[in-house]
Amino acid sequence: MNRRREKIVLPGAEIEVERIGGGPPLVLLQSAETYEAGLELVDRLAADREVFLPWAPGYGGSALPDWVRSIDDVAYVYLDLIEHYGLGDAVLVGFSLGGWIAAEMATKTCERLSRLVLVDPLGAKFGGAYDRDIEDIYFLSFDRVKAIKFADPGRDPLDDMTTLGEDEAMQVARHRETTARLCWEPYFHNPALRHRLHRIAAPTLVLWGAEDRFVGPEYGRAYAGRIPGARFVSIAGAGHYPHIEQPDAFMDAVSSFLNGGGG
Amino acid sequence: MEIYHFTEFPWPHLPPDDSFPSMRLSLPSRHYDPRIGAELYNMYLDQYLLADELGLHCMINEHHQTATCLNAAGPIPLAILARQTRNARLCILGNPAANIADPIRCAEEMAMIDNISYGRLDCGFVRGVPYELFASNANPTETQERLWETIDLVIRAWTSHDGPFNYEGKWLHKRQVNVWPRPYQQPHPPVWTTGGSDLSHACKTVERGHNFAMFLTPVDGLAKMFKGVRQYCRGAGLPEPADDQFAFMPLVAVGETEAEAEKIIESVFWYVTHNKSEPQFRAPPGYNSRDLYARFLSGRYSGGRTDAIRTRGVSYFRDNHVAIYGTPDSVVRQIRALYDKVGGFGHLIAMLHSGDMDYKTTAGSMTLLAREVLPQIADLGTKSSGFGPLAERKAVAAE
């Protein structure tokens, strides 16, 4: 599989991008934990496409410019990225935080997108002021966070952080700082996003881990319900990261959607 | 040497220790009984009135959503003391600058307290301990920048007397700033900050002419910081900061006998042994340095001073001058030894009360400290001859 890393200079940020495979473009936006770059599913997605896997500002080799303070800001950086590569008819796939970024982008313009796949996306608030739509991962113990995010906590790729080397630990720390900076308040959401989701004009698949207790399937249904024509698919035996816990079921759902399953 | 009385206004009537994971943030307020609490508030305020009578100063702090500290708003007891005391300096350490939504309100409150007390306010601004980020919802990655932006804006608001000015900074936006009243002390009350192991923060504080305070830090760490600041000033060609730009808070108990002091310090030690919290409360991402946070995540660091010292005994604290206790003469010797080891400091903030200590026991320790210890160390330490940034003091001295 053809794989290369490059640094691109956009008007407001320098972004590290990994490009895998060849063919029609698929832009993959990672979760805050950046689990996805290391997963086999990237190769599976790249079997008949070119996967563009960028690192958001403040993650991987991408610096965090001072002006980037919200996920909305990141969405504009990535719209620049799509223009930079001159992509058209691109598939946009986003996981968790990356799903939020993808949704923000698609509410601004779907001009260069063919299809949108949102996997347990964050970013909206559907409940009332006293409802906790998204569990507070900063307040809960590490074990509890693992338990709400995974159907089987043993499947967490970062299961034992005591085995991390110093550089790896520094990288995880940096990623978590960036996430906190962008998502602490409002907590993992943009109050305006739910009022913009109707603007998403690309055929959309919303995938949800049936056992996601970080942000539950009912939230996912509300999310899909606001996107015109969106299809909602629940994946059994999976929490917040169905692509990690049930990769085959995940690939089946995505393949069927991308290969003409309709929106 | 100026000595301050300090109690953190604790709620000591806790449920069984194994029935709750943290005294901070998550302990339900059903464990607070207002009939007992009202008595406690008034008893704690009485301690400060006694401090004033004895010639000690007052230090007040605040914490939020915690049984360790019932002072949820430092300006409230400070305002009471502004009216009810006569001579004591009233030091707040401090206003949680990174967490407060409206620094202008803070500037107004502090100016009022300075007026009501006829200019006895020492105005501290703190970043706040990590727990506060959960109570305030403030973003941990912004706290250091917000602290200094708030301090700069408050000082500008206190010292501008020509009508409204505009401020649109990184974190704070105020289009019409025109604070009434102006402070009693001119140009403004002394400003303090607190800190841990971040030397650059300490240097910035002192260089700007403010006072720098540290709490419960073992002597080696304290010396590293206080000497580090002085070394920085020398290297930067600044005037040597006087001792009264440095403050330290240990646990303190004074008894007629060594045995009596030992008994009292065990009670004060409640603060250390009953300060439990959950690890994630101590290290929200972006609050600590990245290096420290990385070590926390990978289990190499437990997150904060408290856990590291909780398990050590009182004698460890005494050896490191974090607990100063004994007969008056012994306490004098310990303070002088500490003074020499850290290169000098001018404010001793004495945590004389904690846990369920009653008024009588606390008052006894306070009285011995004021009557027997203070006279022997009152002349210890150098005093600042000017006000404002050190570079400006130098310029004035050179004229």
Side-chain angles (χ1 to χ4, degrees):
Chain A
M1 183 79 59
N2 183 18
R3 224 173 226 276
R4 62 196 157 109
R5 274 197 184 220
E6 62 194 23
K7 195 71 133 325
I8 60 169
V9 180
L10 303 173
E14 288 190 25
I15 296 294
E16 184 182 29
V17 185
E18 198 167 350
R19 297 170 69 171
I20 308 107
L26 184 150
V27 179
L28 190 158
L29 304 185
Q30 304 192 76
S31 64
E33 294 69 29
T34 67
Y35 292 137
E36 288 73 24
L39 296 178
E40 196 216 336
L41 82 89
V42 175
D43 290 330
R44 293 168 74 175
L45 289 168
D48 49 5
R49 295 169 194 278
E50 178 170 12
V51 172
F52 291 77
L53 192 153
W55 296 78
Y59 299 85
S62 302
L64 180 61
D66 206 42
W67 70 271
V68 173
R69 292 199 211 159
S70 70
I71 291 302
D72 196 50
D73 295 333
V74 178
Y76 278 103
V77 171
Y78 279 166
L79 287 172
D80 283 347
L81 176 141
I82 285 180
E83 284 187 27
H84 172 90
Y85 285 115
L87 304 184
D89 286 333
V91 174
L92 183 59
V93 182
F95 299 90
S96 181
L97 185 71
W100 175 7
I101 302 168
E104 293 274 6
M105 292 166 70
T107 60
K108 299 178 201 311
T109 172
C110 288
E111 206 175 318
R112 292 168 179 272
L113 303 181
S114 63
R115 282 166 196 260
L116 181 64
V117 179
L118 304 175
V119 186
D120 296 65
L122 302 164
K125 167 92 183 166
F126 301 109
Y130 290 93
D131 297 321
R132 203 189 291 283
D133 290 30
I134 302 168
E135 266 302 335
D136 189 348
I137 54 169
Y138 298 117
F139 195 72
L140 301 176
S141 72
F142 288 178
D143 284 347
R144 183 79 195 120
V145 170
K146 213 183 283 279
I148 64 168
K149 282 191 167 181
F150 289 87
D152 174 359
R155 297 192 192 121
D156 183 352
L158 260 181
D159 189 35
D160 182 5
M161 292 209 284
T162 62
T163 61
L164 291 180
E166 279 182 28
D167 289 349
E168 291 169 302
M170 285 291 274
Q171 188 73 306
V172 173
R174 173 166 172 264
H175 290 172
R176 292 193 178 194
E177 283 172 23
T178 301
T179 307
R181 167 155 147 182
L182 302 175
C183 306
W184 187 270
E185 184 191 88
Y187 182 68
F188 280 109
H189 76 278
N190 167 6
L193 183 62
R194 65 177 286 199
H195 305 287
R196 296 178 182 166
L197 289 174
H198 70 276
R199 289 178 43 82
I200 296 179
T204 300
L205 171 66
V206 177
L207 282 175
W208 221 275
E211 294 178 49
D212 187 349
R213 289 174 293 269
F214 172 39
V215 53
E218 65 285 1
Y219 175 99
R221 286 196 178 84
Y223 214 113
R226 296 225 160 212
I227 301 172
R231 187 196 300 178
F232 180 84
V233 173
S234 170
I235 296 185
H240 188 61
Y241 310 93
H243 54 300
I244 292 174
E245 295 206 75
Q246 301 296 340
D248 291 339
F250 170 83
M251 277 308 296
D252 287 349
V254 171
S255 300
S256 123
F257 175 67
L258 295 185
N259 299 326
Chain B
M1 182 72 64
E2 308 292 335
I3 303 184
Y4 301 69
H5 172 64
F6 175 65
T7 172
E8 200 167 45
F9 286 55
W11 174 256
H13 307 293
L14 299 169
D17 196 58
D18 58 1
S19 70
F20 65 100
S22 171
M23 266 182 91
R24 299 178 184 267
L25 293 171
S26 57
L27 186 66
S29 64
R30 64 173 172 269
H31 297 295
Y32 175 82
D33 180 341
R35 286 163 304 178
I36 300 171
E39 293 290 333
L40 285 176
Y41 273 112
N42 284 284
M43 188 267 270
Y44 298 154
L45 288 167
D46 284 344
Q47 291 178 20
Y48 286 102
L49 298 187
L50 175 65
D52 183 48
E53 284 172 27
L54 290 169
L56 301 174
H57 304 300
C58 305
M59 195 281 268
I60 292 283
N61 75 343
E62 72 175 59
H63 287 294
H64 300 265
Q65 302 186 179
T66 175
T68 60
C69 176
L70 296 178
N71 250 345
I76 289 177
L78 212 60
I80 295 167
L81 297 177
R83 171 74 175 161
Q84 290 204 293
T85 61
R86 287 291 169 265
N87 301 306
R89 297 292 300 177
L90 304 175
C91 181
I92 179 167
L93 281 177
N95 293 287
N99 298 315
I100 50 180
D102 188 356
I104 298 306
R105 164 88 183 208
C106 173
E108 293 166 334
E109 288 169 350
M110 293 297 112
M112 283 178 66
I113 287 164
D114 199 38
N115 276 268
I116 296 167
S117 68
Y118 296 94
R120 290 186 283 126
L121 174 66
D122 277 288
C123 190
F125 295 95
V126 299
R127 190 159 73 111
V129 291
Y131 320 103
E132 313 297 4
L133 282 325
F134 296 96
S136 70
N137 231 48
N139 191 317
T141 67
E142 301 167 3
T143 53
Q144 193 64 29
E145 288 185 0
R146 279 182 180 272
L147 169 65
W148 283 106
E149 190 170 338
T150 296
I151 292 173
D152 288 345
L153 179 58
V154 168
I155 291 176
R156 179 69 75 95
W158 279 341
T159 55
S160 296
H161 309 300
D162 300 314
F165 64 85
N166 183 61
Y167 183 77
E168 290 165 288
K170 182 164 183 184
W171 305 109
L172 305 168
H173 289 227
K174 301 283 173 188
R175 297 200 306 280
Q176 306 291 343
V177 182
N178 185 27
V179 163
W180 279 70
R182 62 191 282 184
Y184 188 90
Q185 295 173 90
Q186 295 297 313
H188 62 79
V191 166
W192 298 43
T193 80
T194 61
S197 56
D198 180 357
L199 182 61
S200 66
H201 169 79
C203 292
K204 188 171 181 175
T205 298
V206 173
E207 181 174 13
R208 290 182 178 214
H210 310 321
N211 298 345
F212 177 68
M214 294 186 74
F215 298 163
L216 304 178
T217 310
V219 62
D220 288 348
L222 194 66
K224 197 172 154 192
M225 294 293 287
F226 287 4
K227 288 180 176 176
V229 171
R230 290 179 166 101
Q231 196 175 349
Y232 165 80
C233 291
R234 275 193 296 277
L238 296 166
E240 174 91 9
D243 292 337
D244 64 4
Q245 283 195 265
F246 299 92
F248 177 56
M249 187 188 85
L251 310 174
V252 175
V254 192
E256 296 283 3
T257 63
E258 178 74 14
E260 189 195 346
E262 275 175 19
K263 197 165 164 234
I264 301 170
I265 201 72
E266 286 292 350
S267 301
V268 182
F269 212 61
W270 179 95
Y271 172 76
V272 176
T273 53
H274 284 75
N275 206 343
K276 72 173 175 178
S277 66
E278 297 197 46
Q280 72 275 13
F281 298 169
R282 298 195 286 268
Y287 178 84
N288 291 308
S289 70
R290 184 169 302 155
D291 173 57
L292 212 54
Y293 183 50
R295 285 194 277 142
F296 171 78
L297 288 175
S298 52
R300 298 178 178 97
Y301 164 70
S302 69
R305 168 187 68 208
T306 314
D307 241 30
I309 62 175
R310 261 184 78 178
T311 50
R312 316 256 195 158
V314 175
S315 62
Y316 168 84
F317 276 63
R318 186 186 225 180
D319 294 344
N320 285 279
H321 300 283
V322 182
I324 294 178
Y325 59 95
T327 60
D329 287 349
S330 165
V331 166
V332 168
R333 281 195 299 277
Q334 291 171 59
I335 293 171
R336 286 188 177 278
L338 175 62
Y339 177 90
D340 290 340
K341 286 177 190 172
V342 301
F345 64 102
H347 305 273
L348 182 83
I349 301 163
M351 186 167 190
L352 286 149
H353 172 272
S354 184
D356 63 356
M357 284 175 70
D358 60 18
Y359 179 83
K360 188 163 170 258
T361 307
T362 312
S365 185
M366 290 172 69
T367 303
L368 286 172
L369 180 65
R371 300 243 164 96
E372 308 293 332
V373 175
L374 180 56
Q376 297 190 60
I377 58 164
D379 61 350
L380 190 63
T382 57
K383 293 201 186 305
S384 297
S385 56
F387 194 81
L390 292 186
E392 290 176 21
R393 296 187 197 182
K394 188 185 185 186
V396 170
E399 271 174 19

